Amino acid sequence: MGFRFTNWWGLSVLLVVEIATPRAIAQITVQVHNSARMSPSVLRQGEAEAARILADAGIDVVWVSCPSNPTVVSDCLGFTPNEFSLHIVSDGRTLNDSVFGQAFLGDGGIGKFCDVFFRRIERAWQDSGTDPALLLGAIAAHELGHLLLGSNAHSQVGIMQPVWPRKNLRAIDRGTLLFTREQAARMKARLARRANSALVKPENPGQLFLRLRLLE
Ligand SMILES: [Zn+2]
């Protein structure tokens, strides 16, 4: 009987948490520049995975397909307060091979731009078998997480770990590498403040890198 009672208690706690954690209540727009010319289907699947990860944190994503070269004049050059840029580039030429993405933050943790290095994702796929679209989605979500969380975004657990050990690839395959509840609350609070501000600060970005350790 005691065991059964414990089960019911666990179930009721889960239900309360589920009801008390509203899903998507904030929205961002992400302009996507595909300079790596990756397959459109992999890109769409990667966007869907990043959207799923962010939706788990209560954030809806609207994706906007932009010219592969971000400097080409288009509607994608302007930004509303909750609008960001994701640039899929072939390689991070000046960075170590273990770096898979970078975000650019300026003073006060304000930033709009992040990059993902697609050739390295392809190599990780060849080395580990991790689905490239799922890996792209997880890395994009991590880099967007930097832009949404601002300074001190890294954590010891979840998708904002600064270095991903091989076990994270298994979590990516299972779809369980996610933002923490605290990070979700921080992102939504920060987005609400941005939405109320018409001023987008100019960029003077520093860089933050995401590294994967594939040899563990
Ligand atoms: Zn990072």
Side-chain angles (χ1 to χ4, degrees), residues 11 27 33 45 54 63-64 74 86-87 107 120 139 158 184-185 208:
L11 178 61
Q27 188 178 81
H33 300 270
Q45 291 172 58
L54 284 157
W63 302 101
V64 178
S74 74
L86 173 66
H87 191 181
D107 295 340
R120 296 176 188 188
I139 294 170
L208 291 158

Side-chain angles (χ1 to χ4, degrees), residues 18 20-28 48-61 141-142 144-146 148-149 158-160 175-192:
E18 190 65 24
T21 308
R23 292 309 181 191
I25 61 166
Q27 188 178 81
I28 62 172
E49 178 62 7
R52 185 192 67 81
I53 293 167
L54 284 157
D56 181 79
I59 296 169
D60 263 342
V61 184
H142 176 104
L144 289 168
H146 276 297
L148 295 169
L149 288 161
I159 200 164
M160 292 311 294
T176 56
L177 193 64
L178 299 167
F179 292 98
T180 67
R181 296 299 97 185
E182 184 272 337
Q183 286 163 346
R186 268 173 63 198
M187 290 191 289
K188 284 181 283 193
R190 209 157 172 271
L191 282 170

Side-chain angles (χ1 to χ4, degrees), residues 101 103 142-143 146 153-154 159-163 208-211:
H142 176 104
E143 300 306 339
H146 276 297
H154 283 147
I159 200 164
M160 292 311 294
Q161 291 171 77
V163 179
L208 291 158
F209 306 129
L210 170 65
R211 296 175 192 276

Side-chain angles (χ1 to χ4, degrees), residues 61-206:
V61 184
V62 175
W63 302 101
V64 178
S65 184
C66 296
S68 57
N69 182 347
T71 62
V72 170
V73 174
S74 74
D75 291 343
C76 291
L77 284 178
F79 288 109
T80 61
N82 286 347
E83 195 155 8
F84 303 91
S85 172
L86 173 66
H87 191 181
I88 316 291
V89 296
S90 291
D91 235 330
R93 291 199 179 96
T94 60
L95 297 173
N96 183 293
D97 278 355
S98 67
V99 175
F100 280 66
Q102 62 185 331
F104 302 88
L105 291 185
D107 295 340
I110 303 291
K112 290 287 194 186
F113 301 94
C114 60
D115 292 349
V116 168
F117 307 135
F118 188 63
R119 296 287 168 255
R120 296 176 188 188
I121 291 174
E122 283 188 318
R123 279 201 293 274
W125 172 40
Q126 290 157 4
D127 291 346
S128 70
T130 300
D131 184 311
L134 295 181
L135 191 51
L136 167 66
I139 294 170
H142 176 104
E143 300 306 339
L144 289 168
H146 276 297
L147 305 181
L148 295 169
L149 288 161
S151 305
N152 304 316
H154 283 147
S155 56
Q156 298 297 312
V157 296
I159 200 164
M160 292 311 294
Q161 291 171 77
V163 179
W164 290 358
R166 184 175 279 271
K167 69 178 182 183
N168 279 23
L169 299 182
R170 293 193 290 275
I172 288 169
D173 278 333
R174 293 193 302 268
T176 56
L177 193 64
L178 299 167
F179 292 98
T180 67
R181 296 299 97 185
E182 184 272 337
Q183 286 163 346
R186 268 173 63 198
M187 290 191 289
K188 284 181 283 193
R190 209 157 172 271
L191 282 170
R193 285 199 299 275
R194 276 178 180 247
N196 292 329
S197 166
L199 179 66
V200 178
K201 291 188 178 178
E203 304 296 319
N204 179 23

